[in-house]
Amino acid sequence: MTLLIPDEYPKSLFRDDGKRLDGRDIYDLRPIKMEVDVIKNADGSAYIEWGNNKIFASVYGPREVHPHHLAKPDKGILRVFYRMATFSVFDRKRPAPGRREKEISMIISDCLEPVLFLELYPGTSFEIFIEVVDADGGTRCASTTVAALALADAGVPMRSLVTSCAIGKIDGKLVTDLSGIEDKAGDADLPVAITWFNDEMSLLQFDGKMTKGEMDTSLDMAQDALKKIYDMQLEALKRKYIKIQKDVQDMEVE
Ligand code: CDP
């Protein structure tokens, strides 16, 4: 990963050949890899590599709520703990959860809650622990995406998966999936998440400047990117069950 401080931001976020600094065209996502069932002690888990981001999510629940006073008599609660490892960013991050981590935890929780049937689990909690071990822009989107996958891996009943991705503006042009340097040196950042069961946006944040027309185009670009990422989530889940099926078949042969 290229490490840059603000004075060293590149003059242009596009190369002479018109590509972005990492070689992508404007609509390209960074390379994304996903895997489920990566943490054996969790009820469900997933891992994502999204560009240079590396993020684990583990899910526990439904289980007793600690501290007890947080429990709700009529529904379960969802608690999300998004954390960045001290070594995940250029400047060592203080280990204690900061304001940003608390805010992102809340955002991810709001993104995921609509797909859960919390009303069926009164007095209990679902907890999602998200650990960013390497960060390079768009960690809230990658974390939401991997957390949804971990919930599905845990077998938690869900109305659908949730997928998230950011659209941004760099050097006056709209682009899909901002990298870290594009996020820092660019003009605008628009993280979006979708709940597929109702096609509604459960996240829409905005930082920067865009015209109304650009905003409309960004949402269309987000829709295309989200569908591609959703297909990868489904593939990651299917791979687990294909492996189980193969293991069972191998046992039957023996
Ligand atoms: O990660 P995301 O884009 O969702 O959130 P952000 O607050 O806009 O942060 C953008 C990027 O800044 C992160 O992905 C990290 O690469 C970097 N960052 C950092 O270097 N140090 C921090 N304490 C927080 C973020």
Side-chain angles (χ1 to χ4, degrees), residues 53 82 84 89-91 93 100 104 135-141 180 183-184 189:
N53 293 310
Y82 162 101
M84 286 177 114
V89 286
F90 179 55
D91 295 315
K93 198 203 77 64
R100 177 179 168 278
I104 294 182
D136 189 26
T139 61
R140 76 196 59 207
C141 298
D183 181 337
K184 290 190 181 74
D189 179 20

Side-chain angles (χ1 to χ4, degrees), residues 222-233:
Q223 186 82 26
D224 289 346
L226 290 167
K227 179 72 182 68
K228 288 184 196 151
I229 302 163
Y230 177 60
D231 288 342
M232 292 182 220
Q233 286 173 297

